[in-house]
Amino acid sequence: MSIEDLPAKPRLPIHPGGDPLFDAGKTGAPGFVLANLNRLVNWSRSSALWPVTFGLACCAIEMMATSAARYDLGRFGAELFRPSPRQADLIIVAGRLSQKMAPVLRQIYDQMADPKWVIAMGDCASCGGIYNNYAIVQGCDKVIPVDVYVPGCPPRPEQLIDGVMKLQKKIMAEGVYIPARG
Ligand code: SF4
């Protein structure tokens, strides 16, 4: 006797009286998934941050090391540094921001896709650092809104990774609709 000769197993209705919608395709596949839209959108946003390729000074070397093989920022979904701000939703301000570069930073930020986030990496980007003089902007938050500040001179790659993880936590707490920031 082959398996085809066996009598068909009676199908038990899931709902009393038999609901054709639920009873028709008992394949084991659920067919639908229930999820919180906020969590789903925020999870996809926080797990695939695309930073724009942008470095200003010595901190940028640590940023490059963070994305290379040893520290592997790809483990957190943020290793895909984009050459165009239009393809990026994260900017890591790595280094001191001179007055001359301030309008450039602002223009790059304005060209990035919404929603977008900013990490100020290092003392110089956060508050001017040791450069308390007329040539250096005393914190890039004077030019663009900053989400996470990473302290250090320079911060180690582990610190930048910690900053990315803190940003991910912040994104997970946001709503689906984030109004554009000025
Ligand atoms: S924080 Fe230190 S390492 Fe980073 S740009 Fe400033 S001086 Fe250089």
Side-chain angles (χ1 to χ4, degrees):
M1 178 187 271
S2 73
I3 195 154
E4 285 83 23
D5 301 327
L6 290 171
K9 222 171 146 188
R11 297 173 63 203
L12 296 174
I14 297 172
H15 292 263
D19 184 329
L21 182 65
F22 286 88
D23 210 19
K26 272 183 68 181
T27 60
F32 60 88
V33 175
L34 293 178
N36 179 309
L37 182 64
N38 252 15
R39 281 190 61 80
L40 205 60
V41 171
N42 289 342
W43 170 76
S44 62
R45 283 175 176 168
S46 64
S47 307
L49 288 164
W50 285 12
V52 61
T53 310
F54 184 72
L56 286 167
C58 7
C59 273
I61 306 299
E62 296 293 323
M63 181 180 68
M64 290 176 221
T66 311
S67 65
R70 185 176 177 86
Y71 293 99
D72 194 11
L73 195 56
R75 290 175 296 157
F76 305 91
E79 85 288 12
L80 205 60
F81 281 78
R82 307 306 302 171
S84 163
R86 297 183 200 286
Q87 301 165 350
D89 56 7
L90 169 66
I91 183 163
I92 302 171
V93 185
R96 55 189 171 267
L97 178 65
S98 65
Q99 298 284 355
K100 205 172 177 181
M101 279 299 285
V104 179
L105 175 66
R106 181 70 219 192
Q107 187 173 9
I108 291 172
Y109 176 80
D110 285 343
Q111 288 176 343
M112 286 165 58
D114 270 315
K116 52 195 168 190
W117 297 275
V118 179
I119 293 178
M121 180 184 181
D123 290 352
C124 288
S126 299
C127 63
I130 56 172
Y131 300 100
N132 186 10
N133 60 45
Y134 65 90
I136 300 299
V137 178
Q138 300 300 296
C140 67
D141 54 5
K142 304 253 186 306
V143 182
I144 56 175
V146 173
D147 294 284
V148 175
Y149 297 85
V150 179
C153 177
R156 284 188 53 82
E158 293 93 333
Q159 287 171 266
L160 181 56
I161 288 172
D162 184 57
V164 170
M165 290 170 74
K166 283 198 165 53
L167 179 62
Q168 288 177 324
K169 272 191 188 164
K170 186 177 178 185
I171 294 171
M172 285 304 291
E174 286 177 339
V176 172
Y177 173 70
I178 304 170
R181 297 183 303 179

